[in-house]
Amino acid sequence: MTQALDFIQPNWPAPENVKCVSTIRAGGVSLAPYDSLNLGVHVADNIEHVQLNRQRLAQYLPAQPLWLNQIHGTHVMHATNYKGVCDADASFANTANQVCTVMTADCLPVLFCNTQGTQVAAAHAGWRGLLDGVLENTVDEFDQADQVMAWLGPAIGPDAFEVGQEVKDLFTAKNPAHAACFQPSNNANKWMADLYLLARLCLLAAGVKQVYGGEFCTFTDESRFFSYRRDGVTGRMASCIWLTD
């Protein structure tokens, strides 16, 4: 192993056989503005550097991650059907050593497992995915929603994510309770959106009551996280979850 990587380890009461990691931006070989553990092949970084970064991550995993082509949609890919990179924004597994993985750089990564330690999932949730139901679709893959727990990984925080009036209107039309997730911005007809609270409300509506994490801000914590909203051209982190035998 060439270099030890630092990870964010979810602080949640997952079963012992559920393993997960969330990468930070340090520890790779990519050069600025992708410095340094960029795992995204779609952001115009040197592809050889990205492959080296992915190899470094893979040393900590039981198998290659199930990489997705994320399109801000709601499709959940079942790991048993994985035939290579496909268009999806979530993946689900119920057998060991299938590494459900999503990439983010402000959007919200959500990791899931059931209390029995037999099912796991990972979802990529930007505001469009949250609105359209990517989290609800992911929960639907589990046998019992009330036995599911979720961890909210690093995303843009509520004091940094400004959106337009149309975004607030879409969410409040879906659920009036979503109004609590928007605070007035200093700019006219703009609102500060709380992705974490939106996710919690979506998960609660889907029957998930055990929700953890949500204390990060990719925008303000530049030393640890990539942020598309902050930098425009930047890398991607990965959040991975899998079952062991």
Side-chain angles (χ1 to χ4, degrees):
M1 193 172 294
T2 57
Q3 179 180 352
L5 296 183
D6 289 329
F7 298 105
I8 292 174
Q9 296 285 351
N11 181 18
W12 62 341
E16 185 64 26
N17 69 312
V18 173
K19 306 299 181 184
C20 43
V21 295
S22 188
T23 68
I24 60 174
R25 68 182 299 170
V29 299
S30 290
L31 305 177
Y34 308 102
D35 47 322
S36 62
L37 192 69
N38 168 44
L39 299 165
V41 298
H42 61 294
V43 294
D45 190 8
N46 182 315
I47 191 65
E48 293 182 358
H49 291 170
V50 179
Q51 294 299 345
L52 284 171
N53 290 338
R54 288 188 170 192
Q55 289 174 23
R56 291 189 176 188
L57 172 61
Q59 294 177 89
Y60 296 84
L61 307 174
Q64 288 295 322
L66 304 179
W67 300 109
L68 305 175
N69 180 37
Q70 299 168 186
I71 56 173
H72 295 275
T74 63
H75 177 60
V76 183
M77 187 276 301
H78 199 293
T80 57
N81 298 326
Y82 190 74
K83 303 280 193 301
V85 178
C86 60
D87 291 349
D89 283 85
S91 58
F92 170 87
N94 57 6
T95 57
N97 303 324
Q98 294 178 312
V99 186
C100 297
T101 302
V102 291
M103 288 186 294
T104 55
D106 282 338
C107 290
L108 175 63
V110 184
L111 301 181
F112 299 82
C113 71
N114 62 353
T115 56
Q116 295 85 1
T118 60
Q119 299 175 313
V120 294
H124 159 255
W127 73 261
R128 292 186 184 277
L130 283 174
L131 177 69
D132 293 339
V134 68
L135 298 188
E136 293 91 332
N137 284 3
T138 306
V139 174
D140 284 345
E141 296 290 330
F142 287 81
D143 292 336
Q144 296 174 275
D146 62 356
Q147 297 297 308
V148 174
M149 65 182 73
W151 178 76
L152 310 181
I156 191 168
D159 296 328
F161 188 37
E162 186 179 68
V163 299
Q165 180 68 44
E166 72 283 358
V167 176
K168 179 176 184 288
D169 291 344
L170 288 167
F171 274 102
T172 54
K174 177 181 179 179
N175 183 347
H178 287 163
C181 304
F182 297 87
Q183 300 301 321
S185 167
N186 292 328
N187 297 314
N189 298 318
K190 299 289 185 179
W191 298 85
M192 306 308 294
D194 189 338
L195 282 180
Y196 290 123
L197 184 53
L198 284 167
R200 288 178 183 276
L201 291 177
C202 290
L203 290 167
L204 183 62
V208 178
K209 298 179 181 178
Q210 301 179 68
V211 184
Y212 304 89
E215 67 269 27
F216 312 96
C217 180
T218 50
F219 184 91
T220 56
D221 194 346
E222 185 173 0
S223 65
R224 286 201 296 174
F225 302 127
F226 296 116
S227 169
Y228 179 79
R229 178 66 69 102
R230 182 188 64 230
D231 299 325
V233 178
T234 192
R236 297 294 186 272
M237 290 92 63
S239 295
C240 310
I241 189 166
W242 65 97
L243 298 167
T244 59
D245 293 317

